[in-house]
Structures are given as C-alpha cells and as structure tokens.
Amino acid sequence: MAKHATPLLDELEKGPWPSFVTDMKRQAETHPECWDILGQLELSYKDKITHWKHGGIVGVFGYGGGIVGRYSDVPKKFPGVEHFHTVRIAQPSGLYYSTKNLRALMDLWDKYGSGMTNMHGSTGDMIFLGTRTENLEPLFWDLTHDLDQDLGGSGSNLRTPSCCLGESRCEWSCYDTQDVCYHLTMHYQDEIHRPAFPYKFKFKFSGCPNDCVAAIARSDFALLGTWKDDIRINQAAVKEYVAGNYPSNGGAHAGGDWGKFDIKKEVINLCPTGCMWMEGDELKIDNAECNRCMHCINVMPRALKPGKEKGATVCVGAKAPILDGAQFATMVIPFIEVSKENEYENLIDVIEQIWDWWMEVGKNRERVGETMQRVGLPTFLRVMEIDAMPQHVKEPRSNPYVFWKEEEVEGGWERDVQAFRRKHAA
Amino acid sequence: MGYDPNNPMEGRITDLGPRSYTEMLPPVIAANKGKWDYHEIIAPGVLLHVSESGAECYTVRVGSPRLVSIAYVRDLCDIADKHCEGYLRFTTRNNVEFMVDSKEKCDALIADLKTQSSKFPIGGTGACVTNIVHTQGWVHCHTPATDASGPVKAVMDDLFEYFGSMTLPAQVRIALACCLNMCGAVHASDIAILGIHRKPPMVDHSRITGVCEIPLAISACPLGAVKPAKAKVGDQEVKTVQVNAERCMFCGNCYTMCPAMPLADPDGDGIAILVGGKVSNAKSAPKFSKLVVPFLPNTPPRWPETVAVIRKIVEVYAKDARKYERIGEWAERIGWEKFFEKCEIPFTDKSIDDYRLAYDTWRTTTQFKFTKATEAYTSK
Amino acid sequence: MAMSIEEVEAAIIAKATKSPKPQLYIKDFYECDTERKPRDIKKIANALVTKGKMMFWSSGSTTMYALPERIKNEENAEGIN
C-alpha cells in the first residue's frame, strides 16, 4: 500500500523505457523507506527544487572518501530518508560481475540500505543509495570481512580508477586495460581512501582511440591505447567488404538505407589524413601519414586491425567545466610501453612525477589541468622532463610573447646601463 | 561475529580494493581474452565477437534506468544464472550485457528477455540513441538545478524507436548533468541536457557562521563576486558575506563550500541544451558540446519542452547528416548558422561566449552562410 | 636536523589548533616540515586521523582536516571520524 500519493511520478510509469518509479514502488514492498524516497521526490516534482542538504563529515573511521553524506530537509515528512548517505563500492575492472558476487552485494545492501542503487555512478563505482550513519560501520565491516571488497574514492582523493572492457571482449584494445586498472587501484589504495591531493584526481584507461570510457574528456591521467607500427590489412577481407559481403562498420548502420558499401566514399575519403588509396583491388595505407584515428578500422573490422607494436598515449589534465571551463586532456607522452612484466613501473613513475609536482604547486581545489594551464604547458613539460615536440600543440602559438629564461639568452640579463649611455645619449 | 561498536578497531580490515576482475569473467570471455579477431552487430542490441580460436561470444545488450533496486539487480542475476553461467556486465552507459557462447543460447536468451521487454529493452548498439548517462538530480543530490532520472525517462520514452534500431547516421550519445558541476561528463556529448541555475545565491546570515567557513566561501567564487560583509542577526552583528549579483555566473561553487548560500529556485532553475560534443578520436578530434538552447523551464513530470527540442535535433540530424557523421561533425560541415535554422532553434546572444577564452569561438572570417538570421541585412 | 615524525605530528596539531581557520587543506600543513615531500606530510596527517587526533571534513568533492572539536558542519553531531 502506497504511503504517499505520487500523481506526478506516476506519469513516469508510462512509456516504453523501463521506469525507475515502477521499480522503486516494487522495492518499497520490502523496503518501506523507498516510499519516503518516492514521497520526497514527488515533493521535489511539485516544488521544482531539491529537498536534500549538504552531507559533511560522514564516513567510516580512517577513510576520507567512499561515503557521501546526505540528509533530507523534510525529515519529519519522510523519516525513512532523514539520513540518505551514499556508499561508493569499488567496481571490478570492466564492470563484469559474477552473479554470486552481485547477489552477495545486494544481500548486504538489503541488510543495511534503502534497497536502491546506481549501476553505476559517473566515476565508475557501484553506488549504494541511501543509508543511515549508524549503518556505515557495520556495512563496512561486512563488506571487508565477508565480501573481501572495499569502498571507492571521493573528496580530494584518487577517485576509483576505471577502464573500458579492453582485451576481454574487444579486438582493438592495445593493452590490457583491466589489468592496469586493477593493478594501479590496488597499488594506490591509500590515495583512494584518504585525501592526498589539492583536489580530486582521476585515472581512466581506454584500450584504443575510440575511448569508450571518455578518458580524454574526464580524467586527469588518461591512458589511451595506440600502436607505433602499421595497421594490419587483410586484403581478402577488404575484397569482401568491397563486394558487400561483410557489413560496414560491424553492422552498426544495418538499419539505415545507405546503399551499397563504397570504400572510396566511406573509408578513403573520410580518412582525416588522406593516407589511403586503392591499387587495383588492394587497399594501401601510407602508415607514416596515419594519425591512428580508428575510422577505417571501425568501418572494416574484419579487414583492418591496429598494428602489432602496441602501447599507449598519455594525456593529462581533463576536467568538467567547473570553474574555468571544460578541458580535454593534453597529449603529453606520445607512446609508452604498457607491460605487466614490469608491473607498470614506468606508468607509476609518470603518475608520481605529476603528483609530486602538483601537490607542491597546485592550489587548493585546482585540478591538475588547471594547474597546467596556469603555469603553461612548457613549464609542465619541463617538470615532466619531456622535450617539447610539435605533437604537443594543435598549432604553434601566434603571439610572440615568449617567456625567455636568462640562461637561454647570450650574455645573460645583467647589463651596464652606464656603458649603454656612453654610446646612446639620453 | 560482526561489527562491535564497543570495540570498533578490533579486527578492522582496510584497503582491500575491489575484487579482481579475473573472478568476474564469463568462461568464453576468460578463455578468449586478448584473442578476439573481429565483431559484428548481428541485430540491434546483439553483438557477435569471434575469437582467433573460432570461439564465439554473443552479447545481448539491454537498457537500464541506472537508478535500480536490488530486486531489479536480482532479476538480472536470475537471467544471467539461467542463460549465462552466472555472469553479466554493465556498460559505461548504464546498459546491461548478457553473454553466451552459442547462437542457440543467444536465441533462448533473447526470447526470454522479450517476455520482459518493459523491463529489459534490447538495443543500444551501432548508429542508435543509446542509454543516457546521467547524474542523481532530485533523487539524491543537494545542488541540482533539475531532476535526472525523470527527464532521462521522458527523453528515452520519446526516442525509444532509436534505441532499438540502427538507422541514424552515427551513434548519438546523450548525457544529462543536473547542475554545472557536470558530474556526468556531458561536456563531450552529442546532446547534453544540463541543469542550470539563474538566480544568485541567497545568504542565510543566521546560519553562515555556524555551518560555513567564510574565507572558503569567498575563495570558491571564480569571479570574485562573494565578498566579506557584516550583518545584523537580531541585535548581534555577525561576520557574513555579500554577493555581487551582477558578477554571478550561477555556478553554485559557493554553495558547494557553504551550505548557507542556497541558490536553487523553482523558477530560476531549468535546463540548457548543448550539442555537438564527442569523445572518440575517430575522424575528427574530440569536441566539446556547444550551448544551443540557453534555458528551458523545469516542467516535471515529463519535461515536454526538453523532449521536443531533443527530438527535433535528432530528426533533423537523421535526415540531413551523412553516413558516419556525428552531430558535431554535421553541424560544422553545414555551419552552425544552418544548424540553428534547420533545427528551428532561435539563436540568442546567450550562445555567444563571453567567459574566459571566449574569443576563440567568435567568427573571424567572411566565410558564413546566409540564413533567416541574416534576413534583416539581405532582404530588400 | 631533520624533524622526527612525532615532531611533525606535533607541528600539525599546533597548526590546526592555532590557525584562525578551523578547517585546513593538506597544503596548509606542508610548512610543518619543509624538508619532507608533500606526500610524506600527507601520510603523517592521515595517520593522525587514524589515531583520532584529527578529523576529515568532506564536501563530497573536497576533503579538509580539522581538530575534532573545531569542525564545522550542518550535522555536527554526526561526525564519527
């Protein structure tokens, strides 16, 4: 029996897309606090404003992240959501689950929480949505002791790293994203659970330039798979595409009326560098001119594959708009080996070089991309001990105001104005 | 034994991290990791991956509302136990994927899912509108300017035909963030639904000293619009802040740091629409989404104005763009002036950047197209 | 003469006690021992939280440090760490 009337939310039970309202009502049968979630949400729909207030210092002892505190501003009306803290649970790399583990997690949340979750939050964690302060420690106890798993990050911490599914089910992945993600997550448990930085710091791992986890848009440290040799071509498969026997773009356009596949129009002419051509019925690529954008590979997955000498490009400093505007990550290291063999030591070196500098120079609440912008890319490259190269910019600067350093100028900056005056009358 | 509140440190375990991904892989995935040869979308929502070994993995993708109950997750587990040897995965766009190793199992899985299609719509692959990534909105957040799950449900209901088909020129990625903090990375989406505030924060002088550190509130403002001040509360003079409303850009950063500066408002808040962003490096470089509709009102429960604008953009794009062209690539090819004209979106000065680095977006060429917007200059 | 960990801990507590600001960023503690790298200062400050001598305060996006008795919060009574 509904505890609150929800005429506005009931409108969201209509339509073909699965309804969170229907789902929540069903859960309310066993978790009555869901009625209060619905009740308060209905009130927000009526008032057109949120009824949640700031969280503050809620957490589990010794961790600076993983729990986000939340309280209702109408607790008398909706006592079931008076406290409504979220718990971030670190997700397995690639978001695969055994039902055994997923059921155990749901049982845990059944015991301590509201019954609602997000699968998943924006950063990648599993989100348990809504519990009381006094449940946090017992929940954490069971999570660690019985399920052998842990919370994710929030606040000025390393946020829970995330990755695309990588080699597990994608032929394009240029390194094992899941393994790097898992390894670094374990390596940096302290930084994930306790504040470490001027502001949040995110790692994201994409296996190829298609960037399915939006690393270049969202992470302070983005590792995007790439290759340094030639795109592999299967000429027999090229012929099949040209003959229309294989669907273009892996079948992604099958529902549209696009006519017969035209390799010239759909691949060669859309190549951003114009580095492809046909010689008879063979596809040729001038790989030295290729910028590895993935378009041709996306369109003809059975004929073209990334090269064999694989690794990744490191981009640094992406963020959402708050406060000076959004930034994409800037290409910093064109190619880096990504190898289990050295336990990703070379990546760790790069990460810690960034951290050591940013912790010193970064202002409070300044993402590393903002620090880079404030000090300038040349300064950041010097910190990283990386020589400037044209690949670091879209185009050279057009203003001439270079910050020359004294040691770069013959004779230095100390000069004798008297000697100057002897030759030049005032 | 369990947690003992009288002895909280006894037997405490920390820093375990997540469970290893290696425990979570379906057998066909574990056996063929790193050996996949190619893939094909054999029907909307159904992927086939073929291994160098000849092994096949069939994946069926279904949409989920992201905000889901434990009962719903257990339903997913039931399906995975019945068909998929007890494994499943989620995508970064809140879809759910069930994987099996043969066509027969795939057919049985699809047949089963189709009996529960109101809960598990199949789709979200290829040139489609896939699931909307979004934030919490009024369901959990303290700073939102709109709801998240409601507008997402309304938009997905309206665009449902595009979720289960692959008729568009390219994939259309929609994202919603319920305030300018953009917890969801809407800044690089084909279509972004963004909650915005339009009223400067109020200052609760009676609360501010108790809940807020004034220097933090002041330094939180990127435009220096928050200044120290004194105010009378009863007969007491308290240290507080004042807001220079003319300089406020409604970002809400002050409220993040200081609970005594609320800015949400039923009339002030609403939705902005941004379009043309992309993350992938394919063909063109990643692009930011651009603001094309500066404000639409919050109209719960189904946000018809927002739904209508998005449908219009998707329909015009579907008809006008070339194969493989993302919304941003299409708008750049035809010119943004044509985008506004074709989508019948009135252009306002709100779409002209006047924040930092604004000049980069101003037109500094004589190359443009005449549209209705220039008629005042071209008609006799 | 390098400072011992105990001396750095004492300097951090002194800073958190005397500072006009009750809540401090990790950067505010770097000056407690300028010979140590920021990451080492951070580790010492976090260890003080584990010992119950300091607390974390978090807005969700930003985390700060304070003495338990100086922390400001919407729900002051709710603090447990």
Side-chain angles (χ1 to χ4, degrees):
Chain A
M1 196 30 217
K3 190 173 149 193
H4 311 284
T6 54
L8 293 169
L9 288 175
D10 295 350
E11 289 298 311
L12 291 172
E13 293 198 82
K14 300 171 183 167
W17 189 250
S19 168
F20 68 96
V21 177
T22 306
D23 186 32
M24 223 186 284
K25 283 185 177 174
R26 174 180 165 212
Q27 190 64 60
E29 289 164 18
T30 51
H31 273 272
E33 55 267 56
C34 287
W35 288 126
D36 283 348
I37 307 176
L38 287 161
Q40 183 172 318
L41 187 60
E42 178 76 13
L43 184 64
S44 282
Y45 271 51
K46 200 165 146 251
D47 295 347
K48 301 188 199 178
I49 195 164
T50 190
H51 282 288
W52 301 107
K53 48 185 189 172
H54 275 68
I57 48 178
V58 186
V60 298
F61 184 84
Y63 276 19
I67 312 281
V68 179
R70 192 68 70 229
Y71 300 92
S72 170
D73 71 8
V74 278
K76 292 213 170 69
K77 269 190 192 145
F78 308 109
V81 295
E82 178 189 18
H83 296 199
F84 203 64
H85 314 316
T86 48
V87 182
R88 295 185 181 178
I89 310 281
Q91 80 285 7
S93 293
L95 305 177
Y96 288 91
Y97 291 89
S98 66
T99 54
K100 185 168 162 255
N101 182 241
L102 204 46
R103 286 185 194 279
L105 286 161
M106 292 305 119
D107 291 346
L108 180 73
W109 193 231
D110 211 350
K111 188 170 166 193
Y112 292 113
S114 72
M116 293 309 294
T117 75
N118 290 143
M119 301 298 283
H120 294 76
S122 291
T123 299
D125 304 276
M126 197 182 323
I127 308 282
F128 286 175
L129 204 62
T131 190
R132 298 188 61 83
T133 304
E134 58 269 24
N135 286 336
L136 293 172
E137 288 290 347
L139 182 151
F140 181 67
W141 178 279
D142 290 5
L143 180 71
T144 49
H145 285 78
D146 302 342
L147 276 74
D148 189 23
Q149 54 198 111
D150 207 339
L151 303 182
S154 62
S156 308
N157 300 25
L158 175 62
R159 299 302 182 83
T160 316
S162 71
C163 63
C164 71
L165 53 58
E167 294 178 348
S168 73
R169 206 195 60 201
C170 182
E171 66 270 28
W172 296 329
S173 189
C174 295
Y175 68 95
D176 188 343
T177 54
Q178 288 178 298
D179 198 67
V180 179
C181 186
Y182 180 65
H183 185 88
L184 293 183
T185 301
M186 298 308 279
H187 186 77
Y188 289 122
Q189 281 292 296
D190 185 32
E191 284 76 6
I192 289 171
H193 295 309
R194 294 163 200 89
F197 306 118
Y199 203 19
K200 64 182 87 164
F201 196 94
K202 297 185 179 183
F203 295 166
K204 290 193 191 292
F205 305 97
S206 274
C208 84
N210 283 326
D211 196 2
C212 288
V213 281
I216 207 165
R218 307 197 53 189
S219 55
D220 301 276
F221 178 84
L223 195 67
L224 293 109
T226 196
W227 62 95
K228 58 182 176 181
D229 54 344
D230 295 349
I231 291 176
R232 287 175 284 161
I233 308 181
N234 175 343
Q235 296 291 357
V238 172
K239 290 188 187 79
E240 297 291 343
Y241 278 105
V242 171
N245 295 333
Y246 292 162
S248 67
N249 219 15
H253 286 87
D257 183 16
W258 299 104
K260 189 173 178 284
F261 177 69
D262 179 344
I263 194 168
K264 187 145 180 28
K265 198 169 127 198
E266 299 186 34
V267 179
I268 294 171
N269 291 355
L270 291 181
C271 170
T273 65
C275 70
M276 312 178 84
W277 69 96
M278 293 300 286
E279 264 179 40
D281 55 4
E282 295 222 322
L283 179 67
K284 299 286 178 190
I285 301 175
D286 181 356
N287 280 281
E289 296 300 320
C290 171
N291 64 8
R292 303 172 314 287
C293 86
M294 292 297 293
H295 175 68
C296 59
I297 298 174
N298 289 342
V299 175
M300 302 196 294
R302 296 181 74 163
L304 301 175
K305 285 190 170 41
K308 284 195 153 156
E309 292 174 39
K310 296 172 185 177
T313 298
V314 176
C315 299
V316 182
K319 57 179 277 290
I322 290 285
L323 287 161
D324 280 350
Q327 287 178 230
F328 284 117
T330 299
M331 200 292 289
V332 172
I333 301 175
F335 189 88
I336 191 164
E337 302 282 344
V338 185
S339 158
K340 247 175 259 215
E341 245 98 280
N342 66 2
E343 295 190 307
Y344 312 113
E345 211 177 0
N346 54 337
L347 296 178
I348 288 170
D349 287 346
V350 173
I351 289 164
E352 298 195 354
Q353 205 162 357
I354 298 170
W355 283 353
D356 283 342
W357 168 77
W358 177 53
M359 289 184 72
E360 190 89 49
V361 173
K363 293 182 180 172
N364 294 321
R365 285 173 64 75
E366 184 178 68
R367 294 283 287 270
V368 72
E370 294 169 301
T371 315
M372 287 164 67
Q373 215 186 113
R374 182 162 56 77
V375 304
L377 184 56
T379 304
F380 180 71
L381 293 174
R382 276 194 289 277
V383 168
M384 298 302 293
E385 300 169 274
I386 293 167
D387 290 334
M389 60 191 101
Q391 285 81 353
H392 284 135
V393 293
K394 281 184 202 140
E395 58 186 29
R397 70 194 297 156
S398 45
N399 79 67
Y401 307 118
V402 174
F403 292 100
W404 292 101
K405 298 221 166 339
E406 184 170 14
E407 61 270 21
E408 292 173 320
V409 184
E410 294 75 9
W413 289 348
E414 284 300 313
R415 284 181 291 164
D416 182 353
V417 72
Q418 304 301 337
F420 177 83
R421 273 289 158 253
R422 281 195 288 278
K423 290 187 181 174
H424 305 275
Chain B
M1 99 155 201
Y3 175 70
D4 175 6
N6 299 316
N7 219 343
M9 290 300 104
E10 186 73 29
R12 192 177 189 80
I13 311 176
T14 63
D15 299 288
L16 290 171
R19 294 287 283 266
S20 169
Y21 64 93
T22 54
E23 302 168 16
M24 306 294 176
L25 303 177
V28 65
I29 295 291
N32 292 285
K33 184 171 171 175
K35 296 182 206 150
W36 297 107
D37 186 26
Y38 70 93
H39 77 276
E40 201 177 307
I41 306 167
I42 54 177
V46 186
L47 299 140
L48 165 64
H49 286 82
V50 180
S51 165
E52 287 160 2
S53 71
E56 294 180 332
C57 175
Y58 290 83
T59 301
V60 182
R61 184 178 290 175
V62 302
S64 97
R66 188 184 89 126
L67 172 60
V68 294
S69 68
I70 51 183
Y72 171 93
V73 176
R74 285 173 179 151
D75 289 345
L76 297 177
C77 289
D78 288 344
I79 294 165
D81 282 340
K82 187 169 165 196
H83 296 278
C84 313
E85 299 175 72
Y87 296 92
L88 74 165
R89 77 173 287 268
F90 294 82
T91 73
T92 51
R93 303 194 70 87
N94 316 317
N95 293 312
V96 185
E97 290 184 338
F98 297 105
M99 286 152 281
V100 293
D101 58 12
S102 77
K103 185 78 174 51
E104 295 70 45
K105 290 181 191 170
C106 181
D107 290 341
L109 168 63
I110 291 171
D112 201 353
L113 288 169
K114 282 191 171 159
T115 64
Q116 312 173 63
S117 62
S118 65
K119 224 181 332 179
F120 304 122
I122 298 171
T125 54
C128 72
V129 174
T130 185
N131 207 343
I132 299 179
V133 294
H134 62 276
T135 55
Q136 303 285 16
W138 295 334
V139 168
H140 188 258
C141 186
H142 64 304
T143 66
T146 187
D147 188 34
S149 300
V152 163
K153 161 77 173 143
V155 170
M156 285 310 290
D157 277 341
D158 187 65
L159 297 179
F160 192 69
E161 69 208 81
Y162 294 109
F163 177 78
S165 63
M166 302 190 290
T167 57
L168 294 169
Q171 66 269 42
V172 172
R173 304 266 189 254
I174 308 181
L176 179 148
C178 52
C179 81
L180 292 95
N181 274 310
M182 295 200 191
C183 295
V186 308
H187 60 288
S189 304
D190 293 285
I191 301 177
I193 308 165
L194 179 66
I196 58 158
H197 304 288
R198 295 184 307 162
K199 293 192 184 185
M202 302 176 278
V203 182
D204 185 350
H205 301 304
S206 65
R207 296 273 293 151
I208 194 161
T209 37
V211 298
C212 166
E213 247 192 79
I214 286 170
L216 287 181
I218 292 167
S219 63
C221 181
L223 293 175
V226 180
K227 291 275 185 258
K230 291 200 165 69
K232 281 264 186 209
V233 174
D235 49 6
Q236 256 194 328
E237 192 176 67
V238 296
K239 283 188 187 165
T240 182
V241 298
Q242 61 182 25
V243 178
N244 179 350
E246 285 185 7
R247 297 183 79 166
C248 180
M249 64 178 195
F250 318 101
C251 71
N253 206 38
C254 53
Y255 181 62
T256 301
M257 296 310 282
C258 176
M261 300 181 71
L263 74 164
D265 184 87
D267 300 317
D269 297 350
I271 282 173
I273 305 289
L274 295 84
V275 308
K278 72 192 269 279
V279 168
S280 162
N281 287 273
K283 298 200 302 296
S284 58
K287 298 176 199 295
F288 290 126
S289 319
K290 283 100 182 156
L291 185 111
V292 295
V293 180
F295 182 78
L296 295 166
N298 269 330
T299 44
R302 296 200 67 102
W303 282 266
E305 299 85 353
T306 297
V307 169
V309 167
I310 292 171
R311 167 158 283 268
K312 180 78 185 173
I313 293 168
V314 170
E315 281 181 348
V316 173
Y317 161 75
K319 238 169 60 193
D320 203 61
R322 294 175 183 165
K323 192 178 178 186
Y324 304 110
E325 221 167 33
R326 297 283 292 264
I327 289 183
E329 294 168 329
W330 163 64
E332 285 177 15
R333 176 173 60 79
I334 63 174
W336 283 97
E337 61 271 42
K338 280 284 178 193
F339 170 87
F340 280 92
E341 186 173 68
K342 288 183 184 217
C343 294
E344 295 168 26
I345 295 170
F347 186 85
T348 74
D349 63 0
K350 306 287 186 296
S351 283
I352 302 179
D353 197 350
D354 52 4
Y355 192 49
R356 292 168 191 171
L357 312 173
Y359 181 80
D360 284 0
T361 62
W362 301 350
R363 188 161 331 204
T364 50
T365 166
T366 57
Q367 297 175 355
F368 60 85
K369 293 177 182 175
F370 291 112
T371 66
K372 268 194 215 114
T374 52
E375 255 171 16
Y377 298 87
T378 54
S379 60
K380 283 178 190 159
Chain C
M1 185 58 198
M3 288 169 81
S4 69
I5 288 188
E6 291 72 28
E7 285 170 321
V8 181
E9 284 184 346
I12 289 173
I13 297 286
K15 169 102 192 167
T17 311
K18 285 183 210 138
S19 164
K21 298 186 290 177
Q23 283 154 240
L24 293 139
Y25 288 102
I26 186 61
K27 282 182 76 82
D28 298 326
F29 297 118
Y30 292 173
E31 64 183 40
C32 295
D33 180 0
T34 49
E35 282 174 32
R36 280 178 205 265
K37 291 207 317 189
R39 286 186 81 188
D40 296 326
I41 302 284
K42 176 227 27 166
K43 283 193 179 125
I44 297 172
N46 287 345
L48 282 169
V49 175
T50 311
K51 293 175 189 169
K53 294 182 181 171
M54 302 261 285
M55 284 174 80
F56 292 134
W57 175 91
S58 177
S59 71
S61 62
T62 309
T63 315
M64 302 179 77
Y65 298 77
L67 295 179
E69 59 274 21
R70 293 192 75 190
I71 208 145
K72 287 195 182 188
N73 200 264
E74 276 276 83
E75 307 284 329
N76 227 339
E78 301 297 340
I80 49 165
N81 67 338

